[in-house]
Amino acid sequence: MARNKEIPYKIYLEESEMPKQWYNLRADMKNKPAPLLNPATMKPMTAEELGQVFCKELVEQELDNTTAYIDIPQEIQDFYKMYRPSPLVRAYCLEKKLDTPAKIYYKFEGNNTSGSHKLNSAIAQAYYAKKQGLKGVTTETGAGQWGTALSMACAYLDLDCQVYMVKCSYEQKPFRREVMRTYGASVTPSPSETTEIGRKILKEHPGTSGSLGCAISEAVEKATHQEGYRYVLGSVLNQVLLHQTVIGLETKTALDKYGIVPDMIIGCAGGGSNLGGLISPFMGEKIKGERDYQIIAVEPASCPSFTRGKFAYDFCDTGMATPLQKMYTLGSNFIPSANHAGGLRYHGMSSILSQLYHDGLMEARSVEQTSVFAAAEEFARVEGILPAPESAHAIKVAMDEAKKCKETGEEKTIVFGLTGTGYFDMYAYESFNDGKMTDYIPTDEDLEAGFAGLPKVPEDLA
């Protein structure tokens, strides 16, 4: 108990202890993620081809499988100091409420106006766009945190920002939309009539609530049809997970200061940005045989790409305008139900995380949204932070594991990522509190319909 008293509720780092380099986990992976494929030629995408959609330096980061550490430009480091380092919190109050011998920590990424970890990559991508001399960028957003973060970064760097927001989130979160507009972004509900792909999706799926896959398609089309614009993405891609490693690097530094070694690390998983950023330095140690950790990805039961998906090449978007990526996927044509964790409503998973999961280096669990919101409210009442629905998936499993420790008497150390706040998610909390929230789990037939649309890839590549 004396050791517990030495550990403060919040472990803060000094600015001088912030990461000065991003960690590229791929450099240490024994099995590298499969390359992106050009769907027209079925050959690996070249830097020149990717450069038509993405910024040049981001393409270099996307394709780099060998450089373990990449310097963070000073301008980005200076921006990070506005809200970083973020605290690592010892959840003493939650431990007491659960009456568990487990020690619970969470890395809180919600202390900025965007309300989440997304700003870590938004400023990096906006910086490289500005450095390239572009006029602006296009993107998609699900829950709205990414769109908010990118609009903030673009306002800071005087770039135009065009956001396609998943329609159900656009309608559920009008104030999130207005924050983006306050920072100067244009926000369009997706699918929309403003793009050819949007019109096609609306024709095939009339009345659809949309998905991240739909919004990506529209944003890519918009970028490629405007001079001086590029597309940027808030999750899934290698470059995004790279930028998010500031989360895990700070977490590890904070734990090391107090000699704390976690037994398990838990994060929510939609496309993979938060989970990948949190676990990267720990996974690097695991791969190199230096330490072992139990790493758990938590996804919604309504969109179970890890737990019920297939490890295959697929399009990253519904409109099939993007390269093919090998990942755990439900099929690019799979449109999830309109659950309240908009940031997790994506049909596939990061190729890095998919490869790690395929190799047995991490595990995955799916949870239903009513149980997620029950955990979110229990957490909020004792820890004082209203969590985003996405983050609450990790909270749910962290609490489950802590309860198991109560039964076994094990004093495990649990670390999870609290990716952001849920103050723009009050319609969701209202639905839960009024008893109107339901759980939707896709049937095998629903999933088969998505799998049926997977592209045919030569066997030597598949």
Side-chain angles (χ1 to χ4, degrees):
M1 195 64 187
R3 182 60 178 164
N4 287 353
K5 289 182 179 177
E6 294 174 11
I7 299 172
Y9 276 83
K10 291 185 176 69
I11 301 174
Y12 283 106
L13 302 179
E14 300 291 334
E15 286 184 1
S16 60
E17 296 176 290
M18 288 170 56
K20 294 179 174 55
Q21 294 176 309
W22 293 303
Y23 170 50
N24 184 9
L25 177 61
R26 285 168 289 157
D28 290 321
M29 289 174 65
K30 294 182 175 69
N31 295 321
K32 312 292 186 187
L36 294 169
L37 296 183
N38 183 323
T41 64
M42 290 297 170
K43 293 181 179 179
M45 293 288 293
T46 65
E48 183 178 357
E49 289 171 330
L50 289 171
Q52 296 171 19
V53 178
F54 302 109
C55 302
K56 181 177 181 295
E57 289 197 49
L58 292 171
V59 169
E60 292 175 7
Q61 292 176 4
E62 185 67 28
L63 299 177
D64 191 336
N65 278 338
T66 57
T67 309
Y69 290 93
I70 295 174
D71 290 340
I72 304 174
Q74 188 61 51
E75 295 91 332
I76 298 175
Q77 289 187 50
D78 292 341
F79 186 92
Y80 279 167
K81 288 175 185 176
M82 287 198 288
Y83 64 100
R84 306 203 71 86
S86 66
L88 179 68
V89 184
R90 173 70 182 270
Y92 282 113
C93 299
L94 182 62
E95 292 173 15
K96 182 178 179 180
K97 177 71 188 311
L98 298 176
D99 189 25
T100 176
K103 300 172 180 65
I104 307 172
Y105 296 84
Y106 57 90
K107 181 67 164 168
F108 181 46
E109 289 289 310
N111 277 336
N112 64 76
T113 300
S114 74
S116 81
H117 68 294
K118 294 291 187 178
L119 198 53
N120 300 328
S121 186
I123 185 59
Q125 296 190 55
Y127 166 81
Y128 289 118
K130 185 73 173 182
K131 185 179 177 183
Q132 192 170 321
L134 299 176
K135 298 176 185 176
V137 293
T138 70
T139 197
E140 78 299 321
T141 193
Q145 281 97 334
W146 168 247
T148 306
L150 187 66
S151 66
M152 289 176 65
C154 287
Y156 182 79
L157 294 169
D158 196 25
L159 284 170
D160 183 38
C161 180
Q162 300 173 9
V163 181
Y164 281 86
M165 188 173 186
V166 176
K167 186 176 290 182
C168 69
S169 290
Y170 183 94
E171 294 167 350
Q172 290 169 354
K173 303 179 184 182
F175 298 122
R176 174 67 72 180
R177 179 181 73 223
E178 291 313 308
V179 175
M180 289 183 244
R181 293 178 64 197
T182 298
Y183 279 97
S186 63
V187 188
T188 305
S190 174
S192 74
E193 296 285 350
T194 66
T195 65
E196 184 178 336
I197 287 176
R199 292 188 289 272
K200 181 173 182 287
I201 292 170
L202 285 171
K203 185 176 181 180
E204 294 175 357
H205 303 276
T208 179
S209 58
S211 72
L212 281 169
C214 297
I216 289 170
S217 297
E218 293 204 271
V220 170
E221 179 181 322
K222 201 70 174 177
T224 55
H225 285 70
Q226 295 179 97
E227 185 71 29
Y229 282 74
R230 291 294 186 276
Y231 165 70
V232 295
L233 181 63
S235 191
V236 182
L237 294 175
N238 297 335
Q239 56 186 274
V240 181
L241 271 67
L242 174 74
H243 304 149
Q244 294 296 354
T245 59
V246 293
I247 302 171
L249 293 167
E250 283 189 7
T251 300
K252 191 166 190 320
T253 299
L255 292 170
D256 288 348
K257 288 183 78 167
Y258 287 88
I260 304 163
V261 180
D263 294 293
M264 60 179 64
I265 303 158
I266 302 168
C268 63
S273 65
N274 144 74
L275 178 68
L278 175 65
I279 70 173
S280 283
F282 302 98
M283 183 63 80
E285 288 185 326
K286 183 169 182 170
I287 289 170
K288 290 180 279 190
E290 297 170 357
R291 275 189 178 149
D292 194 17
Y293 305 98
Q294 182 182 6
I295 297 173
I296 305 172
V298 189
E299 62 185 9
S302 61
C303 193
S305 51
F306 264 147
T307 52
R308 296 176 67 193
K310 290 188 177 182
F311 189 41
Y313 268 107
D314 194 11
F315 288 96
C316 295
D317 67 317
T318 304
M320 302 181 182
T322 57
L324 299 179
Q325 177 170 272
K326 191 170 186 182
M327 58 185 173
Y328 276 88
T329 178
L330 299 171
S332 62
N333 200 41
F334 176 81
I335 297 182
S337 65
N339 71 22
H340 291 286
L344 305 185
R345 297 180 70 250
Y346 183 63
H347 65 272
M349 194 65 64
S350 150
S351 63
I352 293 174
L353 296 181
S354 292
Q355 188 65 55
L356 294 170
Y357 180 65
H358 191 71
D359 291 341
L361 291 165
M362 55 185 280
E363 57 189 89
R365 298 183 194 170
S366 64
V367 289
E368 298 173 3
Q369 71 172 348
T370 51
S371 66
V372 165
F373 275 84
E377 290 199 349
E378 187 173 357
F379 177 86
R381 290 170 186 177
V382 294
E383 285 294 322
I385 297 172
L386 187 72
E390 293 79 11
S391 309
H393 286 67
I395 292 172
K396 159 66 175 162
V397 171
M399 289 172 62
D400 287 347
E401 291 297 325
K403 290 172 184 175
K404 289 179 187 176
C405 288
K406 180 181 179 180
E407 296 171 4
T408 64
E410 295 175 282
E411 296 185 13
K412 289 186 178 181
T413 297
I414 301 168
V415 174
F416 71 87
L418 181 47
T419 57
T421 55
Y423 299 108
F424 288 109
D425 296 280
M426 298 320 298
Y427 285 120
Y429 278 97
E430 178 185 41
S431 174
F432 177 75
N433 290 327
D434 288 346
K436 297 178 180 178
M437 182 178 287
T438 59
D439 292 313
Y440 171 76
I441 300 175
T443 64
D444 290 341
E445 289 74 20
D446 292 334
L447 297 184
E448 283 302 323
F451 297 147
L454 289 174
K456 303 293 186 250
V457 176
E459 285 188 20
D460 60 322
L461 293 172

